[in-house]
Amino acid sequence: MKKVVFYMLISICLFSCKPEEAVVSTGNIYGVVTVKETAEPMRATGVELYHLESLLLKTVTYDDGHYEFEDLEAGEYELKVVATGYKDATYNVIVESGRTARADMQLEKEYTGIIVRTLDVEDRHIFKGEYTIIDKLNYSIAKPEETGFLFSSSKDNILNGEQIKAVFSSGIFWAEKILPMGVWYFQAYVKNGYGTEYGEVRKVEMSGLPIVTTLDATNITDKTATLNGVIGYEGDPEYYEKGFVFSSVFPNPTVDDPSDATTKISVPGTSREFSANISGLTTNTYYVRAYATNIDGTEYGKSVFFYVGDYIVLSDINLMVHRYDLSAGTSWSKAQTLCESSTIGGFTDWRLPTRGELRALYPKRISLNMVLGEYWSSEVDSYYYDYYYANYSDYGVSIDHAHPSKSFRVRAVRTKQ
C-alpha cells in the first residue's frame, strides 16, 4: 500500500509541478528613417534614445534606413534624429513588455534657397560643383558663403569624410585634390545664411597613372607657338617621360598616332611645369595634349587647340579675333572703319568688340598678343554721347567712356558661326 501511495505522489508531481514559464518584461523599438521629400532611406544616420530626458542609447541606421533598440524596459521613450542639412526629428514611443513598437521617422530638408549639383570628374584631380540660387527675394541670405567638397572611401560615411573648401565664381566652383589610389566618393556642398545644401554623391577611381594638364598655347605667331603643360601628380611609380603631342588632323592626338599626322615632343627635366617651343607651322588649326608616362601607361591632359593664321578662334566665348591690333591708336570712327573693312580669313563681318567681349579677352591677352593700354569698344554711352573703351592694366580690366576723338588701340572680332 505504501508503494502505491508513493507512486501516486510522484505522478502528481510530474504532471502538476511544472516550472512556471518566464514572463517577458522588456520590449523593442523598430523603425525606418527616410527623407520626407523623396522617401529615400537615410543611411548611416544617428538615432538617439532618451528616457526621462536622459540620453540612454545611440545607434545608426542601416543601408535600408532601419534602426532598432532591443531589451528595453516598458515605459515611455523619446527618439531623436539629428542629420546635417535636415531639420531635427523627434518621436515619442511607448514600449510594452513583450512587444516591438514601430517608430518610423521622416526627415525634412532644411530650406537653403539654393540648389547644388556635384559634377562628373573630367580630370582626376579637379572636382567641380554647380549651384543655382532659387530664393531671389532673399538673395543676400541665399548667396553662398562657402563652397567645397567632402571625400570618403566609404559612400555611407561621406558626411564624416575629409572636407576641403573650393574656389567659386558665377555658379561654378572647383577644387584640386590628389587622392590615394582606389575608389573614392565625393559630394559638393554650399553653405549660406540658411544652412548647408549638398549635391549628389559621385564616384571617382584613382589609378597609379600620372595626372597631367594641358594649358593654353602661348606666343602664337603665323609659324611658331609655345606649348605648355603641368604635372599634377607624378604617378605611382613616378613618370619617366613627359611632353606633348600635337596634330592638325586628330582632335585627340596620342603618342601612337602615325608620325606623318602627329608630332611628339619629349620635354626633359623634373619640373612640374613644362613647355616646348614649336616652329614650321602653317595656317591651320592645331590640337595639342600634354602627356606623362610611367610603367603602367601614358596619361594625357585634355586636348586644347590653337589656330595659326591671321586670326585666333576662341570657341569658349564664341569669338574669332584678329591676331594683331589693327592700330596702336586712332579715333573711334577710324577704328570702326578699320574693323569693318577687314577681309582677313575671307570674312567681311569683322567689327569692334563689345564691352563684355573686351572683358572676356583680357585673361587671354597674352596668347592674343594684346598689350596693356586702352582698346575701343563698339558701344556708346548714350548719357554722355561718348564711346566705351577697356583699359587693360596689370591690375585687371576696367571700363570707361571717352570722346570719340581720343586715340585708342583697335582689335577686330567677329562672332563665330
Side-chain angles (χ1 to χ4, degrees):
M1 184 68 181
K2 289 182 179 180
K3 287 185 178 180
V4 173
V5 173
F6 174 75
Y7 285 119
M8 288 179 63
L9 290 174
I10 291 178
S11 298
I12 294 172
C13 184
L14 287 174
F15 289 100
S16 63
C17 297
K18 294 181 180 178
E20 293 186 8
E21 294 183 0
V23 177
V24 178
S25 61
T26 62
N28 309 314
I29 297 176
Y30 177 94
V32 178
V33 182
T34 57
V35 180
K36 182 177 181 180
E37 292 82 1
T38 63
E40 295 180 37
M42 293 285 293
R43 302 177 180 87
T45 302
V47 182
E48 299 176 350
L49 180 68
Y50 290 82
H51 182 58
L52 300 177
E53 299 184 352
S54 297
L55 177 62
L56 184 64
L57 294 169
K58 290 183 179 181
T59 189
V60 294
T61 58
Y62 292 81
D63 287 348
D64 61 357
H66 95 266
Y67 70 94
E68 54 193 42
F69 293 103
E70 298 179 336
D71 298 326
L72 302 174
E73 293 183 2
E76 186 173 347
Y77 294 84
E78 181 184 40
L79 295 161
K80 187 174 184 180
V81 179
V82 179
T84 304
Y86 296 85
K87 295 180 180 179
D88 294 353
T90 58
Y91 192 95
N92 292 322
V93 59
I94 296 176
V95 174
E96 299 178 2
S97 298
R99 295 178 178 272
T100 296
R102 185 66 184 258
D104 295 337
M105 288 182 284
Q106 291 183 322
L107 296 189
E108 185 177 353
K109 295 189 69 174
E110 290 277 13
Y111 175 77
T112 60
I114 198 167
I115 297 173
V116 180
R117 292 181 58 229
T118 309
L119 302 182
D120 288 326
V121 174
E122 296 179 356
D123 293 327
R124 281 178 294 147
H125 68 307
I126 299 177
F127 299 88
K128 293 183 178 180
E130 181 180 40
Y131 67 84
T132 303
I133 297 175
I134 57 176
D135 191 343
K136 303 297 184 183
L137 295 178
N138 299 289
Y139 181 84
S140 60
I141 302 177
K143 69 178 182 180
E145 297 175 353
E146 177 183 319
T147 61
F149 299 90
L150 300 172
F151 296 91
S152 176
S153 57
S154 170
K155 184 178 182 180
D156 296 331
N157 194 43
I158 193 165
L159 290 177
N160 296 318
E162 182 181 354
Q163 175 179 322
I164 63 171
K165 294 181 181 180
V167 178
F168 66 99
S169 174
S170 302
I172 299 291
F173 53 97
W174 64 93
E176 294 190 32
K177 177 69 176 177
I178 303 297
L179 297 169
M181 285 188 292
V183 175
W184 290 84
Y185 298 90
F186 67 101
Q187 184 177 32
Y189 74 85
V190 173
K191 291 183 179 180
N192 62 12
Y194 288 121
T196 303
E197 187 72 36
Y198 296 88
E200 308 91 332
V201 175
R202 297 197 181 277
K203 182 172 73 172
V204 61
E205 185 170 358
M206 302 298 291
S207 71
L209 289 171
I211 294 175
V212 59
T213 301
T214 313
L215 304 179
D216 287 337
T218 55
N219 305 321
I220 303 170
T221 70
D222 56 350
K223 293 182 179 180
T224 63
T226 301
L227 309 182
N228 304 288
V230 61
I231 299 291
Y233 169 56
E234 290 88 347
D236 184 15
E238 187 174 339
Y239 71 93
Y240 59 81
E241 181 182 340
K242 66 177 184 289
F244 302 95
V245 283
F246 68 94
S247 174
S248 61
V249 178
F250 300 118
N252 292 291
T254 72
V255 296
D256 299 318
D257 289 338
S259 59
D260 60 347
T262 297
T263 301
K264 171 187 171 183
I265 300 176
S266 178
V267 179
T270 58
S271 174
R272 284 197 169 195
E273 297 180 1
F274 57 101
S275 300
N277 295 317
I278 57 177
S279 60
L281 304 177
T282 59
T283 299
N284 220 323
T285 297
Y286 289 89
Y287 304 92
V288 58
R289 289 206 289 177
Y291 75 88
T293 303
N294 69 2
I295 62 173
D296 291 329
T298 298
E299 186 74 354
Y300 299 90
K302 290 179 63 177
S303 179
V304 301
F305 68 89
F306 62 95
Y307 176 79
V308 172
D310 297 324
Y311 61 86
I312 298 172
V313 179
L314 302 174
S315 293
D316 59 331
I317 57 175
N318 199 37
L319 277 184
M320 295 168 61
V321 186
H322 271 216
R323 185 172 297 282
Y324 302 104
D325 291 342
L326 286 172
S327 174
T330 190
S331 65
W332 185 90
S333 60
K334 290 183 178 179
Q336 184 184 41
T337 300
L338 284 172
C339 292
E340 294 179 350
S341 300
S342 174
T343 58
I344 282 180
F347 301 106
T348 59
D349 55 351
W350 295 100
R351 56 178 173 79
L352 280 171
T354 65
R355 285 176 289 171
E357 289 168 345
L358 284 169
R359 286 187 184 276
L361 294 179
Y362 177 80
K364 307 173 185 293
R365 66 192 183 282
I366 296 177
S367 60
L368 293 174
N369 306 301
M370 297 180 79
V371 301
L372 300 181
E374 298 87 0
Y375 282 88
W376 278 121
S377 140
S378 62
E379 298 178 275
V380 63
D381 183 337
S382 57
Y383 184 81
Y384 292 99
Y385 296 101
D386 286 343
Y387 285 88
Y388 287 106
Y389 69 92
N391 181 23
Y392 285 10
S393 72
D394 288 329
Y395 304 101
V397 56
S398 59
I399 303 296
D400 207 338
H401 57 88
H403 192 272
S405 63
K406 288 285 188 178
S407 181
F408 294 148
R409 305 186 75 88
V410 183
R411 181 61 68 100
V413 302
R414 70 179 296 270
T415 304
K416 182 177 177 291
Q417 303 301 325

